[in-house]
Amino acid sequence: MILVVGVNGVGKTTTIGKLAYNFTKAGKSVLLGAADTFRAAAVDQLTIWSERVGVPIVKQGMGSDPGAVAFDSVQSGVARGADVVIIDTAGRLHNKAHLMEELSKISRVIKKVMPDAPHEVLLVLDGSTGQNALEQARQFTAATDVTALAITKLDGTAKGGVVLAIANQFRIPVKFIGVGEKMEDLLVFDKHEFVDSLFSLEK
């Protein structure tokens, strides 16, 4: 049970789609939950990914209770015997108290169905935003128990520094990096390879 958090525009929904693709490719059955009910576009986008990857999605109308969607998603995942349930959450940061409230409510609701869930809280950050990404990491780690990071938009060379800063400051493992728009463009983070790429000189 993976809960995915992060602000809008960092590539959160795309990362979920790519994760679903990777799990499916590895032979796992996946179910998506569209608990970002704040934006109609978020549900539509996740639906497109679910169709593209060929995995089921649990969703409700815009403005419905995110906790209810999360609950339905986990319940449906258990009923279907899904290996992995990935839940998208709303990415608004204007009010940290509200964010905390919503994320802790989703976690509480999930625990009713699956007491040890969520097994992973994955924070998605845009690697091209530098200090902004650090600030988002600060807000989200204060609001919820983030267990892993996915850094997106690392298709340029100069953007890698933020990964080091975040890993150093928050002591949270970077598990995935997004390097492009395609389904295959989510890589498992390899720290040795990453450091080598940071220090490799232009030929």
Side-chain angles (χ1 to χ4, degrees):
M1 210 326 312
I2 304 171
L3 198 58
V4 183
V5 301
V7 301
N8 298 329
V10 294
K12 189 161 49 89
T13 314
T14 305
T15 300
I16 293 170
K18 291 174 181 174
L19 270 178
Y21 169 75
N22 279 346
F23 279 123
T24 306
K25 211 173 68 170
K28 305 282 185 203
S29 59
V30 181
L31 179 128
L32 302 181
D36 181 356
T37 55
F38 192 65
R39 290 186 316 137
V43 179
D44 294 344
Q45 211 184 343
L46 200 62
T47 304
I48 290 167
W49 272 106
S50 80
E51 288 164 0
R52 202 181 286 174
V53 180
V55 297
I57 183 170
V58 171
K59 57 184 179 177
Q60 291 178 14
M62 186 184 160
S64 54
D65 178 23
V69 180
F71 183 81
D72 287 352
S73 303
V74 179
Q75 216 172 28
S76 178
V78 170
R80 289 166 180 260
D83 297 311
V84 187
V85 176
I86 309 173
I87 296 180
D88 187 15
T89 62
R92 49 198 196 281
L93 256 191
H94 61 259
N95 179 338
K96 196 167 73 179
H98 190 257
L99 175 78
M100 274 189 194
E101 210 175 285
E102 190 165 290
L103 291 175
S104 54
K105 182 183 175 188
I106 287 175
S107 289
R108 278 199 312 276
V109 161
I110 289 168
K111 284 183 197 310
K112 287 180 184 168
V113 188
M114 202 179 272
D116 58 343
H119 304 104
E120 189 91 277
V121 178
L122 181 69
L123 171 60
V124 181
L125 297 167
D126 176 345
S128 66
T129 59
Q131 283 301 316
N132 210 352
L134 271 171
E135 184 50 40
Q136 288 166 25
R138 200 168 289 119
Q139 299 263 12
F140 276 95
T141 49
T144 189
D145 189 14
V146 175
T147 58
L149 301 172
I151 315 278
T152 65
K153 307 183 190 176
L154 283 181
D155 35 0
T157 44
K159 300 169 181 174
V162 72
V163 177
L164 299 179
I166 289 165
N168 177 46
Q169 205 168 328
F170 298 99
R171 300 278 182 252
I172 297 167
V174 176
K175 290 207 174 167
F176 302 100
I177 53 169
V179 294
E181 291 300 309
K182 295 197 294 293
M183 259 195 280
E184 303 78 15
D185 292 339
L186 185 72
L187 309 178
V188 172
F189 181 68
D190 179 323
K191 58 186 174 189
H192 301 292
E193 209 175 283
F194 177 74
V195 170
D196 286 348
S197 75
L198 278 186
F199 288 100
S200 65
L201 297 167
E202 291 291 316
K203 291 280 188 291

